[in-house]
Amino acid sequence: MTRLVPQYRRLPATAIAFLSDNLLATANGSTIDIYDVRLKTLVGSCNVFDSVRIHGIVARLCDADSRSIEVLVFGSKQWTVIRIHLDNARVEPGTVFYVDDWIKAGHWVQDDKQAWQVALALAHNQVLVMDSTHGNCIYNVQCAERCILYAAALYGDTLQTLVVAAGTVFNKVLVWDAWTKDTEAQVRVQLSGHEGVVFGVRFGKNGRRIMSTSDDRSVRVWNLDEKIAETVFYGHGARVWSCVEVDGDRLVSAAEDGTCRVWRNGETEDVWRLCPKNVWAVAAHRDGRMVAAACGDGAVCVWTVGGRQRIERMDELDTIALPGPEQALNWPDRDIDPGSDSKEREFIRGFALTWDSALVVTNHGHILRHSTLNNSWGVVAAKYGALSGYAMVAAESKAGNVAAIGMRDGTV
């Protein structure tokens, strides 16, 4: 996993989106930061709004030959379209436009002339289609169910196919067609089952299923044809904010407990603890493997799903025993047999992993190092009496050449 941290701003990262194969955009306060995930570095930055936190980043997919990309950015009651050049991550700011209600979702749609416009879902279950250049309203529609939304999602490439999924404060997801000749749009599908406020809604890639997250700590996958929750996931220890479909059978959710969970075939495949509290948003790369998360401590975490083997049974674990006295490790007076059944049997007091070894402190005051490369033990220090009763160990995991050991008397 790669952890990217802004050097100067440590506001919560609240929105995230992949722009290209290697560029990733994140929101830090009112600023857009652009990272190169291959170089693992910040390559561009631009302040978009004045004192308004960004809550959404939506990139418009351009032709393969295009060297720039248009990006919809919104937060509070403001929105704008910026242009990002893919060669050097240079950002061209756009005009900031205002609406009368909180924006819960943004989306790119084509009008009758095949020009790309901006669709916005608002907090009182209303959709506005705005001219992406001049900011004027082209079309608006109000849902007959005038409830307050905590989340929304839009799906469809044209005005005629635009569909809304609205997550309400009444624990429901309402699905309705935004294009209508009536004065109000009627709810087409009502999805019930959550036992708390719906905080996140997202369409699947084919538009036939919806993922929703809630105050009830669950992730639900809804089948729109059957109008039922085909899968319900529980596992997070707090409210779940967001969820994204990664590939055909994997989902990744982000929650208040500081974790992202990878779900596959109805159960947890992996858990990533990313920060102390609140992973606000998650995005999936178009390759169906890479995932990025926006964390409450300002960091951005990027990793590949399915890259870690899941342990199902105890016999799948590699077990490594402490070395016995028959192993010549060149230490003085080690007269206790770790394999004996006496009260003085040796055991591990402290433990830390580096990339190629394990550092161990035992109750006899020995500091040992086990190499995972050649499966051998070595002695760092022997009979260090102050470590016999208590030890806390931490090691630098990348280089593996720096370690810290805390002892009972408060010294390190």
Side-chain angles (χ1 to χ4, degrees):
M1 182 184 72
T2 300
R3 184 176 172 86
L4 307 170
V5 182
Q7 185 175 1
Y8 302 108
R9 295 181 308 278
R10 294 304 299 272
L11 298 172
T14 50
I16 195 164
F18 282 98
L19 306 179
S20 65
D21 288 340
N22 62 307
L23 292 184
L24 175 70
T26 67
N28 199 272
S30 58
T31 300
I32 291 289
D33 289 330
I34 303 172
Y35 292 94
D36 189 314
V37 295
R38 293 176 181 170
L39 300 177
K40 302 179 182 180
T41 186
L42 180 70
V43 293
S45 186
C46 178
N47 189 69
V48 177
F49 300 127
D50 292 328
S51 304
V52 170
R53 182 171 291 180
I54 296 169
H55 285 114
I57 303 171
V58 185
R60 182 172 71 83
L61 298 178
C62 299
D63 296 334
D65 296 334
S66 177
R67 300 315 304 159
S68 65
I69 188 170
E70 286 188 320
V71 180
L72 167 65
V73 183
F74 62 87
S76 182
K77 301 178 182 181
Q78 303 180 27
W79 67 275
T80 186
V81 175
I82 63 176
R83 180 173 291 273
I84 300 175
H85 294 266
L86 302 180
D87 291 332
N88 54 13
R90 181 171 62 89
V91 180
E92 294 182 15
T95 304
V96 176
F97 302 108
Y98 299 83
V99 294
D100 295 329
D101 201 356
W102 287 81
I103 303 171
K104 292 299 178 181
H107 189 66
W108 289 96
V109 293
Q110 285 184 307
D111 61 18
D112 295 336
K113 298 179 181 180
Q114 294 187 332
W116 287 99
Q117 311 297 356
V118 170
L120 303 173
L122 306 184
H124 286 80
N125 217 4
Q126 181 185 14
V127 169
L128 305 180
V129 178
M130 315 295 289
D131 186 299
S132 60
T133 302
H134 302 99
N136 55 293
C137 183
I138 300 173
Y139 171 80
N140 74 85
V141 59
Q142 173 70 55
C143 181
E145 190 76 28
R146 296 171 178 260
C147 54
I148 296 176
L149 310 184
Y150 273 15
L154 297 161
Y155 183 86
D157 293 330
T158 67
L159 292 177
Q160 290 75 16
T161 59
L162 189 61
V163 181
V164 187
T168 75
V169 296
F170 302 113
N171 313 343
K172 298 177 181 179
V173 178
L174 307 178
V175 182
W176 53 282
D177 297 317
W179 186 260
T180 177
K181 295 181 180 180
D182 299 329
T183 55
E184 290 185 328
Q186 302 300 312
V187 175
R188 174 159 57 88
V189 179
Q190 180 174 284
L191 304 173
S192 302
H194 278 297
E195 298 178 2
V197 172
V198 178
F199 285 123
V201 183
R202 188 168 298 195
F203 280 94
K205 294 179 181 179
N206 62 4
R208 302 313 309 157
R209 65 176 186 168
I210 291 174
M211 289 77 70
S212 62
T213 61
S214 170
D215 187 39
D216 64 8
R217 306 182 182 185
S218 74
V219 178
R220 293 173 186 261
V221 181
W222 305 90
N223 185 313
L224 286 183
D225 295 326
E226 301 293 334
K227 301 183 176 69
I228 60 171
E230 60 184 17
T231 313
V232 180
F233 301 106
Y234 281 99
H236 283 290
R239 294 174 289 185
V240 189
W241 302 126
S242 179
C243 183
V244 65
E245 184 180 53
V246 181
D247 55 23
D249 57 356
R250 282 190 180 93
L251 307 175
V252 176
S253 56
E256 186 182 26
D257 60 9
T259 68
C260 277
R261 284 182 173 262
V262 182
W263 309 93
R264 188 182 188 189
N265 298 329
E267 58 184 33
T268 301
E269 181 183 65
D270 209 346
V271 181
W272 293 86
R273 180 161 297 279
L274 304 180
C275 60
K277 186 177 181 181
N278 285 320
V279 181
W280 287 112
V282 62
H285 195 279
R286 60 188 178 188
D287 67 2
R289 301 289 291 173
M290 189 184 301
V291 176
C295 301
D297 60 359
V300 176
C301 296
V302 183
W303 74 96
T304 301
V305 297
R308 300 197 295 186
Q309 180 183 2
R310 183 176 179 181
I311 304 299
E312 301 283 355
R313 304 184 310 274
M314 288 295 293
D315 58 10
E316 295 178 343
L317 293 170
D318 292 328
T319 303
I320 302 171
L322 287 173
E326 70 280 358
Q327 295 179 257
L329 299 183
N330 298 320
W331 49 22
D333 303 325
R334 187 168 189 262
D335 52 2
I336 302 298
D337 183 354
S340 70
D341 294 327
S342 69
K343 294 182 180 180
E344 296 297 324
R345 181 174 180 174
E346 190 168 24
F347 56 84
I348 296 172
R349 284 283 190 192
F351 177 84
L353 282 174
T354 70
W355 76 275
D356 67 344
S357 64
L359 192 67
V360 172
V361 177
T362 77
N363 61 314
H364 292 165
H366 303 310
I367 305 175
L368 310 178
R369 185 172 184 173
H370 181 271
S371 172
T372 57
L373 298 179
N374 55 21
N375 194 28
S376 63
W377 285 95
V379 180
V380 178
K383 292 289 187 180
Y384 201 96
L387 294 174
S388 61
Y390 176 84
M392 294 184 66
V393 186
E396 205 287 313
S397 60
K398 292 182 180 179
N401 56 359
V402 177
I405 300 176
M407 294 179 285
R408 183 165 48 188
D409 60 2
T411 61
V412 179

